[in-house]
Each structure stands twice: as C-alpha cells, then as structure tokens.
Amino acid sequence: MKQIPLLINGEFIASTSQQHIDVTNPADNQVIAQAPCATHEEMESAIASAKEAFKTWRNVAVSERARLMMRYQALLKAHHDEIAEILSQETGKTFDDAKGDVWRGIEVVEQAMNIPALMMGETVENVARGIDTYSYTQPLGVCVGITPFNFPAMIPLWMFPLAIAAGNTFILKPSEQDPMTPTRLAELFLEAGAPKGLLNIVHGGADQVNHLLHHEETRAVSFVGSVPVGQHIYKTATDNMKRAQCFAGAKNHSVIMPDANKAQVLNNLVGASVGAAGQRCMAISVAVFVGDSKDWIPELAEMIAKVKPGLWNDKEAGFGPLISDKAKQRVLSLIEQGKQEGATCLVDGSDFNLPGYEQGNWVGPTVFSNVTEDMTIYKEEIFGPVLCCVVVDSLEEAIALVNRNPYGNGTSIFTANGAAARKYQHEIEVGQVGINVPIPVPLPFFSFTGWKNSFYGDLHAYGKQGVRFYTETKTITSRWFEDDIPQGPNMTISLR
C-alpha cells in the first residue's frame, strides 16, 4: 500500500502516526494509498521548519524569488500531463478536465514570477518641507493553506507560490481525499531549487487543521471548501489574531435572456452544469430562463442527457465519478428530495452505473424544471451533476432572484443586448460575473472574488489582492538635515 509522506524541512518523511486515512479511486472505491494523520510532534516540526526558513528567506532578493518561480513554472509545464494523470486517478476527473486543473495552477505561478512588480511600494517626496514618505511591502511569516479535493493542483498553486514569492514560508494541509497530486507538486518545487523549510506538507483532518489555526507562529490562513468548515476556520483563525481568507459555498445562476444566441447558450450550459460532475464551486447549478427562453429547456435537457460519465482515460466521457460514496449518497438524497418536493425531473441520473465499475461513485446527469426557491435542491449546494431550471418573466425578477440567494460566488448572463448586460453586471450582488461566458473564473492577474456566504475575509485569492493578503505595509517618514552633510575637500561620511 502506497504511504503518502509528509514534507518537513525539505525532506519527505514517513509519518510515525498510527492513524491513517484511505485514499480511494472514485471509479471503483478501491484503496490506492493511505495518508497519515500527522502527530503533534510532526506538526510542531513542520511549523518550526517554516519559522526557521523564514528568517533567511525573507531577506532573499525579490528577483531571486522570482527566478525560483520561473524554474518551477518550467518544471510544471514539462510534467503537465504526468501531474494530470495522477490527478485523474485519485479524483476521477477526465484527463482533459485534469489538464485544465493543472494549467490554471501554472497560470498562478506565472503571476508569482512577476512578484518584483507586485511588491512595489509607494513614495511621495516633500510631504512636508524636507520630509519624504515611502512604503515597503514586507512578508508576514509562516502562512497556511487548507485545500479541497476538487482542484488538488490548481488551488494549492493558488496559494503557496504567491505566498512564498512574497517572502513567506508555507504549510500546506491538502485534502486527505487526493493528496498524491499536491505531493508531486511539492517534489517539483524542491527540484526547482526551493530551500529547506520553504514549503511543508502535513496530512490529516480536523485535529491537524486546528493545530495550525491555534499555533502562535502561523500568521495567515487560506482555505477553500464547504460553508461549515469555512466558517469554523475563519472564526478560529481570527479569534487567534490571524488573517484569513475562506472560500466557501456557492449556488451559481446563469440568466438566459430571450435574445441570446440559443446554440451558444445550450452548448455552454451543458459543460458548465455537469462538467467535472458538478464538483466545482463555479459550476452553474441554476439556469434562470427569462420569458420565452423557457421554451429552450426541453432541448437543453435532451443535450445534457447525452453526456455520459466514464473513466478518466475514456475520451468519450463527459465527466467522471463523484469523489466518494458519501458525496454520492448526498447527491442522490437531494435528487430524491427534488422529486418529492414537486420539481419535474426531466433527466434522472440517479440510477446510472458504469458497467464493470458498479462499486464506483457514479451519478448521471440530472435536470430539474419547475424549480422554486423554497425547494431543497434550490437552497442547497448540491455539488453534483444536477441542473435546476427556474423561469421568471423579466430581467428585474432574475436580478432579484439571484440577489436574494445567500451565496455570491459567480453568475452569468446570456444576452445580445448591451444595456441588459450592463444593468446585470451593475446591479447583481455577486463577486464574479460573466457576460456570454458561463463560468467567469478570472485569470490570475485579477483576483478570485466571491461575495456573501461564498467568502469570509477581506482580501481575495491571487492577483494583487493575493499579494496584499500575504504581506503587510510598512510606511516610513524620513527627514535629513543638510547641516549634517560634511563639508570640504576631505569630507567623510560615516556609515554608522
């Protein structure tokens, strides 16, 4: 049985813990590895390693830190498909989907390569007579990342490259459900020349997370995951006087105007709703049809019904299995609740099974119409291949519907009318908006900006806000007196 190691002080080590978590292949639930629950001593060692490394790393030239990221980016690109294959096998994602996961992470590393420009401060000469004021951007210290199962390459790469490029050291606690991908990312980081202690990886569950949240040496915590865990991490971290950015739940709506391009709408909604088995915080889980666009629902259902789940290396597969049997049972329960509460199930994937892999976590594509706001399938984040269709009479009703929802991660509108698009983007209370784009995830020179119960914190991920999250500003006010300048041909200036 493959044992997942810890990374502490630049060395991959076998944990001495007697507690392990099984890592399973979602396609058949066979155990493929075991991740240890790091011991108290191992947690302390990881934190001490990061603390010690920070003493020297913070003083490394910013251009040298950027060059580390350049070497890392080159290695990630060289091993792109290899990482994607590891990712596919432990998450069940199709190979193309896994490659996208890796590539989006590489794009954040490319942003980290630009760290000298991102770390620039500000200056004003003569704020008063003979007095100048300027600011520096300096690292915090030991930072922590707690990442989810659904993007085991992209989301760790959201975090540690930018934090480390900014001069910090980092402790990563990846999802216990797919730790092999982050381990490979770390191997390549060491190969790129990362000094010892710069990146540490520990495994486990709530106990290990709480250890990091309560420890006096950790300064900032980044998290992506569920609402209850996100709320706990945010509250615990801030109660312990740490910075926190916690990305949590979502219920993303796509508004379909009658003047939209029908073919583009239907093609985009298929992938945006059931792609990656719906296990994306930016998945479109509610399609809001305005006016006559409701007539497109039957055709959309027919198209989604043709999407077939399959194995990661099946080029015909639209998506793979859910991550675990627990996740599958939750999705099946929500589908059943939708039926019981009166929604019309146009496409039912609850009985899907892949021949030869009947023990896997399979759920087929599912579409509901006649969904109302009081239904559980509307209120809950399903995190499965399920699309809810809602009908309203006007754009104003659509905006009010989306704004009433407690989540605000992403939304989109499909329309040919610029005024309608502008009204939507201006009035909607959601952090990320797509116009004729179904899943508006920004590239890393912008920031990932969820709102409401989709995010707890003040500064968002990557982009300029990510750098600000992992740094603090020091402002200096300086005055020098010309009378102190030595005079004459033999003048000397003391450097003391």
Side-chain angles (χ1 to χ4, degrees), residues 154-486:
M154 182 185 77
I155 294 179
L157 291 174
W158 273 14
M159 298 178 185
F160 75 81
L162 206 57
I164 289 172
N168 302 285
T169 54
F170 206 86
I171 300 171
L172 175 65
K173 206 301 288 183
S175 170
E176 65 280 8
Q177 295 178 290
D178 45 17
M180 294 190 294
T181 300
T183 298
R184 186 62 182 132
L185 298 179
E187 289 172 349
L188 293 173
F189 193 55
L190 296 183
E191 188 177 333
K196 290 183 176 181
L198 220 55
L199 173 64
N200 300 269
I201 298 181
V202 295
H203 301 290
D207 289 345
Q208 286 69 29
V209 169
N210 285 327
H211 191 122
L212 294 169
L213 296 179
H214 286 91
H215 203 286
E216 61 182 8
E217 295 296 344
T218 58
R219 296 289 309 280
V221 180
S222 301
F223 167 81
V224 179
S226 69
V227 171
V229 179
Q231 290 175 338
H232 167 76
I233 288 176
Y234 182 72
K235 185 176 188 304
T236 306
T238 53
D239 281 351
N240 283 275
M241 308 305 290
K242 304 179 194 307
R243 290 189 184 181
Q245 52 175 200
C246 297
F247 296 85
K251 197 71 178 180
N252 305 316
H253 299 65
S254 185
V255 173
I256 317 303
M257 299 297 291
D259 63 355
N261 183 302
K262 178 182 176 182
Q264 290 180 353
V265 168
L266 300 185
N267 287 328
N268 277 282
L269 281 181
V270 172
S273 59
V274 302
Q279 296 178 122
R280 296 188 287 210
C281 67
M282 288 293 287
I284 294 298
S285 55
V286 181
V288 183
F289 292 87
V290 179
D292 291 341
S293 68
K294 66 179 181 296
D295 296 337
W296 304 350
I297 294 175
E299 188 172 343
L300 174 64
E302 290 178 10
M303 292 175 65
I304 290 179
K306 295 176 182 177
V307 180
K308 301 301 180 186
L311 300 176
W312 71 272
N313 55 358
D314 179 358
K315 293 182 179 180
E316 302 301 317
F319 58 88
L322 298 180
I323 189 65
S324 67
D325 182 66
K326 180 180 179 181
K328 173 184 175 179
Q329 297 309 319
R330 180 179 179 277
V331 171
L332 292 179
S333 174
L334 287 165
I335 292 173
E336 183 58 30
Q337 281 184 271
K339 297 172 185 176
Q340 295 297 324
E341 293 176 6
T344 302
C345 191
L346 299 176
V347 181
D348 188 353
S350 56
D351 291 330
F352 178 85
N353 241 320
L354 189 68
Y357 293 86
E358 288 81 6
Q359 300 305 310
N361 309 315
W362 303 100
V363 176
T366 301
V367 180
F368 283 100
S369 64
N370 298 316
V371 175
T372 59
E373 287 183 79
D374 60 337
M375 292 179 179
T376 306
I377 54 171
Y378 178 82
K379 292 186 291 185
E380 294 279 338
E381 182 180 23
I382 300 175
F383 226 59
V386 181
L387 177 66
C388 297
C389 297
V390 177
V391 175
V392 297
D393 292 330
S394 66
L395 176 60
E396 287 75 13
E397 285 185 52
I399 292 171
L401 173 76
V402 177
N403 286 348
R404 284 194 299 271
N405 195 274
Y407 299 112
N409 212 34
T411 188
S412 61
I413 182 171
F414 284 88
T415 182
N417 186 295
R422 189 185 185 283
K423 178 180 176 66
Y424 191 78
Q425 73 178 33
H426 178 68
E427 296 183 11
I428 210 69
E429 296 169 6
V430 176
Q432 295 161 126
V433 182
I435 298 173
N436 298 318
V437 174
I439 301 179
V441 178
L443 288 169
F445 31 85
F446 288 90
S447 293
F448 190 97
T449 52
W451 284 14
K452 297 190 282 191
N453 282 343
S454 292
F455 178 72
Y456 308 109
D458 299 302
L459 293 168
H460 294 93
Y462 57 77
K464 293 179 181 178
Q465 289 196 38
V467 175
R468 288 178 61 199
F469 177 77
Y470 291 122
T471 59
E472 51 194 354
T473 301
K474 179 181 289 182
T475 303
I476 299 122
T477 301
S478 172
R479 182 180 186 184
W480 296 95
F481 297 94
E482 291 189 11
D483 291 346
D484 292 338
I485 300 175

